Every structure is written in C-alpha cells, then in structure tokens.
Amino acid sequence: MSFEESWPTAIEERTSNVERPSSDRSGFDPNTGIYHSLLQLGDNFQIPSRNDLDTCKYVLSQFPHPDHAESRVALIDSATNYQVTYAQLDRSIRALASGLYHGLGVRKGDVVFVLSPNLILYPTICLAVFSIGAILSPANPINTQSEIAKQILDSGAKLVISAPEELHKVTKTGVPTLLTTRISNEDSLSIEELIESCDPAEFPQVQINQSDIAAVLYSSGTTGISKGVILTHSNFIAIMILLKWSVYATSSQNDVFLCFIPMFHIYGLAFFGLGLFSAGITTVLMQRFDLQAMLDAIQAYKVNNLPAVPPVILGLVKHVSKLRCDLSSLRRVGSGAAPLSKELTEEFREMFPWVELRQGYGLTESCGAATFFVSDEQAKAHPGSCGRLIPTFNAMVVDISTGFALSPRKEGEIWIKSPTIMKGYLQNEEATAAMLDSDGWLKTGDLGYFDEDGFLYIVDRIKELIKHNGYQVAPAELEAILLNHPQVIDAAVIPLEDEESGQIPMAYVVRAAGSELTEEQILQFVANQVAPYKKVRRVAFISAIPKSAAGKILRKELVSHSQLQKISKM
C-alpha cells in the first residue's frame, strides 16, 4: 500500500470517531460517577500492546514508505527555507543515536538535558535520545542561570545539549556539554558534527520497554515550586496515536502546520517534536514567536493549521488588520495552554470567518491532552467550552468539600485518567501522592463541569498557579524571593487579569517599619532572579497579608481587593 493510499480517506475511516451509543449524551455513568469519552479511535489507531516498544521505534515505524520518504518534506526552517525530508530525518536520528551511544557513552537511564530554542534538529535530538533509552529533560532557554542549574541538579543530568548562546548558563555545572550547532571559535563538539561523523547503520539496539522513563519535563503542578514530571514511552506512544487520530479526523494529507510553540513545552514536544511525524505531515518551524514573521510564514508556505495560545490569537485580532498579509490558506487554529475567553473567540470568528477555531485542554501531567473539538460546528455551539474527552480518556468531577462524584452541570475538581497520564513527580513522593490517587486518577486542580452533551467547561483554577502568556508561574516561588528582601516582612502573589497576557503576577507586600521601599525596587529585585515570564508586574503595599487560622494566605480577598482598586481607578 502506498503512502497516499494509507491515509484514511474512505468514509468509514473518516467517521471512525463517531459517538458511542449512550443513554446519556454526556457520557456520564451514574453508577460509577465517571464520564467516558463519546469518541472512539477506530481499528487503525489502537495503542500497541507489545511492551518492547519505545517512542523512537514507534515514530520511525510510522514514517512514509521509503519510496516516498525521500521526497516527503518533514520540516522547513521558516528563516532559511532549509528543508528536511522524512528520509533525511530518519538518517539523522540514527546517526545521532549512534554518536551518543558509541561515541559519547550515553546509556539507558542517563538524563540528557536540552537547553535550546526551537531548531530544525530539535526533533532529531529528542528521538535519538529516546532511541537509546536515555531520558530527555528539556528546559526553557529564557530561564536564569540559577534556575537552569537547579533543574540540571534535580534531574541528575549526565549530558547537556545547549544552544551556543545559552552555553554560559551551564558551564559552571561541570556537566559535559554538546552544542546544538557548530561554532568555529568553540572547542565543544556539536550535534551537527556528531551526525556528520557517525554511521546511521550503527544505530544501537537497546532493549527498551514502554514502561521505561522517556522524559522528565518540569512543571509547577498544582502547588509549590517546579517539579519534574515523569513521562514514560507508553505515555508518549499513547499521545502520538491520539494526535495522529485527531489530525486524520480534521485535516488532509497535504496540510502544512506552523510551529512556533516551544518544543521544551509538552504542547510543542508532543505535537511538533513527535506527533505530526506519525502522520506524515509537513511542519514549518519558527525558532521563536514573532507576529509579523508568523504572518509571513503563513503566507509564504500556505500554512493551513496553526496550533496557538490565547496571546497569539489576541495578537491576530488586534494587529493583523494593520499588517500586510494573506491568510487565505489558513483553515484551522487551535488554542491551548491557557483558557480562551468567549469574547476573544467571538472577535476572532468575526474577523476570520473562514477559519475554524477550536480550544483544547490538557496538562503536562497528561502529555498535554484531555479534551478536544472534532468539528468547528461543535465549537461554535458550545462557546466557552474546551471540547469533549478524547478517546482513552475518562473523567470525574469531584465535589471539593465531600469528595463525591458529580453529575452534569455541577462544578467540582476535574479528575482525569488515561494511558497518557504521568508516572509521577521525580523524587517527590509527597507531591505525587497529592496529584495521583491509588487508582491512577490525576487531580488537575481545575474547577469545572461537563454539560449534558459531554462538553467540558473550566470555570476557575483551584490550584494557585498564574497563567502568563501560556506559562505557569508559581506564586510560592515569587513569595519566597520577596521574603528574602531585608525590607519585606510578608508578601503574597496573586493573578491579576490582563487582556494581552491572560494574567500577570501581582505582589502584595508588607514593608518593614520605617522602610521606604518602592514598587520599582521590588520589581527589579524579583526580575534579577527569575525568567522574564515570571516577573512581578504590579506591586501594592499593605499593612498585613490576610490569612486563615491555619496560616494559609487568603488569596481570594487579595484578588477582590485588586479588582476593587482597578474599578476605582476607572
């Protein structure tokens, strides 16, 4: 069967994601309190049962037939127009795996820390690491040197792969380092040189099981400081099959996707670093997000699909009319990583009536997935929703006070269960136990409900994270920094709603007696110690931080106070 023939175009394949017969359209089972997915994968998208399968082996098995792999483009660098075919990608993965294993001695279970923005070699790095049973731990390159050092130490990294411009952040750790690209004045070996000097035929054969750890991604979880999310090969294989199913259900073989979502994030890694290759899709890659560059890439490469985040959608709505661009090729825009407001959704639909806009929901701990819209008609009919449970997912809505499972239209904490759910948090049994129960249910920390048709609505976050431009910011981390200031007696950080970025961190500060500490001094104090997206953006001084009898900060009171202040200034 040819690559073209393997794409499910028959009507029975296209409708394999039909709803299951159910007496309740919501998928809710009153006997168990569990919501079941109303969607089915179909026979062509079953999760493999064989245990001796790793992420890389699965991805390579889904590549186009060799007759088509030489001409089928996998990746395009939007800045240089450099293109990589599926055959070239296959060879570079095998050559790099050979170099890492035979040349550098990287072995199964070794952690490989990756510090780089998006680049054409990022998927090669990830898949090569997976292929030898090593553990991938990617990081945000805008993090500070101290933040990077903490993650390298916590993950137990044996090798660092760094972009040249980020090398200064890792040199003091003493961990052996490999550069992503060749630099003439550097003695360090690069990924490019390793690929060129190694034979793909010497691809190492390592015994890897689906249950083995594939990656450790750092997320703030539901509370506290950053934690390492342990994801297995079975987690990634399951999410790739789900992504392949969703692409086949909503797209065509020749669709072109644009990637500016960072691949160190689960959204970018699962979707662009792994999942789309299983569907034979062409991806146009941007190193970093820039609105005009994104518009230029859409026009130049006739991009059809744009996985995005709310700030990008806001930018399209507010600025695209002022910029010269042709977006007629665009057919679908997906939104994830943070909630998308009804108002912004309506504005987008009015400005781009030919583009489908669909919101999804997921967490790092669930490999970025949970709910999804199969059609634009469903999305339009359920504004404010983030879709239905995708196949293999079950959910419960748990009453926060009683712990009872709730029926449709009743709000509670969203719990989810699926083969994509993480193994736990790295070296943190307490946090793992708080997030995962003994039956494998993931407690998301999000407040929401399902309607009578099985569509999920997220109402609020029980957890205390602040969502800034799609990033998660932990108030506890910023409070700890503020409390280290000699003139700060007490502090609390809350989310402040912001039209452009969703939320910004706002600090309430209790100054020491006689202190003349200013807002600007506090802003600078925090900014010097954190990544840009974690910066405190607003400061208010207060005589005392409201707390419960148990000493817990009453954030809702501070949020209400900030809203009243905002109204009074209007």
Side-chain angles (χ1 to χ4, degrees):
M1 180 180 291
S2 72
F3 175 61
E4 285 75 12
E5 290 171 339
S6 69
W7 189 276
T9 54
I11 187 66
E12 58 267 22
E13 295 291 351
R14 282 294 187 175
T15 56
S16 64
N17 51 327
V18 294
E19 296 182 8
R20 292 176 177 171
S22 175
S23 57
D24 188 334
R25 300 193 315 273
S26 67
F28 178 69
D29 184 344
N31 296 315
T32 62
I34 295 173
Y35 291 84
H36 300 278
S37 175
L38 295 166
L39 302 169
Q40 297 184 51
L41 282 174
D43 293 339
N44 285 347
F45 303 98
Q46 295 304 306
I47 297 174
S49 58
R50 52 178 290 198
N51 188 41
D52 60 333
L53 186 64
D54 63 78
T55 305
C56 182
K57 188 181 295 182
Y58 174 79
V59 172
L60 293 179
S61 74
Q62 301 300 302
F63 273 19
H65 187 277
D67 292 343
H68 303 278
E70 290 290 355
S71 58
R72 186 75 181 174
V73 176
L75 290 162
I76 303 174
D77 188 322
S78 66
T80 64
N81 195 40
Y82 178 72
Q83 302 187 6
V84 176
T85 66
Y86 274 89
Q88 290 171 326
L89 180 59
D90 184 300
R91 288 191 290 269
S92 68
I93 292 167
R94 295 177 186 275
L96 180 57
S98 174
L100 291 173
Y101 188 86
H102 299 298
L104 300 183
V106 179
R107 291 293 182 265
K108 181 178 179 180
D110 288 347
V111 175
V112 178
F113 184 88
V114 180
L115 183 64
S116 172
N118 287 354
L119 75 162
I120 208 83
L121 283 173
Y122 210 113
T124 295
I125 294 168
C126 296
L127 288 164
V129 169
F130 290 149
S131 74
I132 57 177
I135 300 169
L136 179 76
S137 187
N140 188 341
I142 69 171
N143 283 353
T144 64
Q145 183 173 329
S146 61
E147 290 169 324
I148 295 298
K150 286 178 184 176
Q151 187 173 332
I152 289 175
L153 178 64
D154 188 69
S155 66
K158 298 293 180 65
L159 175 70
V160 171
I161 299 176
S162 173
E165 65 271 21
E166 306 300 337
L167 184 60
H168 67 283
K169 295 180 181 178
V170 301
T171 50
K172 290 185 179 179
T173 65
V175 178
T177 302
L178 191 62
L179 293 178
T180 55
T181 53
R182 182 188 293 108
I183 301 296
S184 58
N185 60 346
E186 283 285 346
D187 294 331
S188 300
L189 183 66
S190 73
I191 291 291
E192 291 178 337
E193 292 168 304
L194 203 56
I195 291 172
E196 291 171 2
S197 62
C198 295
D199 187 355
E202 296 180 1
F203 185 60
Q205 300 300 318
V206 181
Q207 180 62 44
I208 305 168
N209 296 323
Q210 285 203 48
S211 57
D212 290 333
I213 299 173
V216 177
L217 275 67
Y218 279 76
S219 166
S220 295
T222 54
T223 59
I225 61 174
S226 181
K227 297 183 286 291
V229 176
I230 301 173
L231 299 174
T232 65
H233 288 277
S234 63
N235 292 150
F236 280 122
I237 292 169
I239 196 63
M240 283 188 288
I241 289 170
L242 290 170
L243 285 168
K244 183 177 178 180
W245 164 83
S246 69
V247 169
Y248 280 12
T250 62
S251 305
S252 74
Q253 173 191 344
N254 295 315
D255 274 5
V256 176
F257 283 69
L258 180 64
C259 172
F260 57 79
I261 303 293
M263 289 188 191
F264 64 78
H265 191 282
I266 188 61
Y267 190 178
L269 176 61
F271 208 99
F272 295 105
L274 303 172
L276 290 184
F277 299 131
S278 300
I281 291 291
T282 297
T283 297
V284 178
L285 188 67
M286 293 177 60
Q287 188 177 80
R288 293 182 176 87
F289 175 75
D290 175 83
L291 182 60
Q292 184 61 64
M294 180 189 77
L295 298 175
D296 292 342
I298 293 172
Q299 180 172 318
Y301 297 100
K302 305 300 179 186
V303 170
N304 314 111
N305 288 268
L306 184 69
V309 291
V312 173
I313 295 170
L314 179 66
L316 285 169
V317 169
K318 288 192 172 292
H319 304 298
V320 77
S321 61
K322 306 170 189 175
L323 303 169
R324 296 181 61 185
C325 58
D326 177 9
L327 302 184
S328 59
S329 66
L330 203 56
R331 291 289 176 265
R332 282 163 293 275
V333 173
S335 181
L340 190 64
S341 70
K342 290 181 182 180
E343 295 76 15
L344 183 55
T345 300
E346 291 169 358
E347 285 186 72
F348 181 91
R349 292 188 187 282
E350 184 176 347
M351 182 171 288
F352 307 101
W354 69 92
V355 180
E356 300 176 0
L357 177 61
R358 305 178 192 176
Q359 187 173 188
Y361 169 72
L363 304 88
T364 302
E365 290 85 348
S366 68
C367 275
T371 63
F372 172 72
F373 276 111
V374 171
S375 72
D376 197 45
E377 289 71 25
Q378 287 184 349
K380 288 178 179 177
H382 297 82
S385 170
C386 44
R388 280 175 167 161
L389 290 169
I390 58 180
T392 76
F393 272 83
N394 293 323
M396 286 197 292
V397 180
V398 179
D399 187 287
I400 300 169
S401 302
T402 66
F404 293 155
L406 302 173
S407 55
R409 293 285 176 184
K410 294 180 180 177
E411 295 178 4
E413 183 179 14
I414 307 299
W415 290 18
I416 55 177
K417 191 175 184 180
S418 163
T420 69
I421 300 299
M422 70 170 183
K423 187 175 183 178
Y425 291 116
L426 183 67
Q427 301 176 14
N428 197 331
E429 292 182 7
E430 183 180 352
T432 300
M435 191 73 166
L436 282 172
D437 80 352
S438 57
D439 293 323
W441 286 96
L442 178 70
K443 305 172 187 179
T444 68
D446 290 315
L447 184 72
Y449 65 90
F450 286 91
D451 68 11
E452 55 280 352
D453 293 315
F455 289 91
L456 177 64
Y457 295 78
I458 300 297
V459 177
D460 201 353
R461 283 179 289 278
I462 301 168
K463 54 189 179 181
E464 298 174 346
L465 293 176
I466 299 167
K467 288 278 191 172
H468 179 72
N469 280 333
Y471 291 114
Q472 294 181 340
V473 182
E477 181 179 0
L478 296 178
E479 286 159 2
I481 291 172
L482 287 165
L483 291 173
N484 278 330
H485 195 288
Q487 296 180 51
V488 172
I489 298 298
D490 205 355
V493 176
I494 63 164
L496 188 65
E497 298 302 317
D498 180 74
E499 183 177 84
E500 290 192 7
S501 57
Q503 295 177 331
I504 59 173
M506 176 180 180
Y508 277 89
V509 173
V510 180
R511 288 180 289 198
S515 171
E516 295 182 358
L517 192 64
T518 66
E519 178 180 24
E520 183 56 36
Q521 288 172 323
I522 291 175
L523 295 178
Q524 192 59 51
F525 178 76
V526 176
N528 289 339
Q529 302 180 64
V530 299
Y533 70 88
K534 295 181 184 179
K535 290 180 182 179
V536 170
R537 309 283 170 160
R538 193 78 55 82
V539 177
F541 295 101
I542 195 169
S543 58
I545 302 296
K547 296 181 180 179
S548 67
K552 186 176 180 180
I553 296 171
L554 300 175
R555 298 186 194 278
K556 287 186 177 180
E557 290 188 18
L558 294 174
V559 170
S560 298
H561 182 270
S562 68
Q563 290 171 343
L564 288 173
Q565 281 191 322
K566 186 175 181 180
I567 293 171
S568 66
K569 292 178 180 178
M570 290 181 176

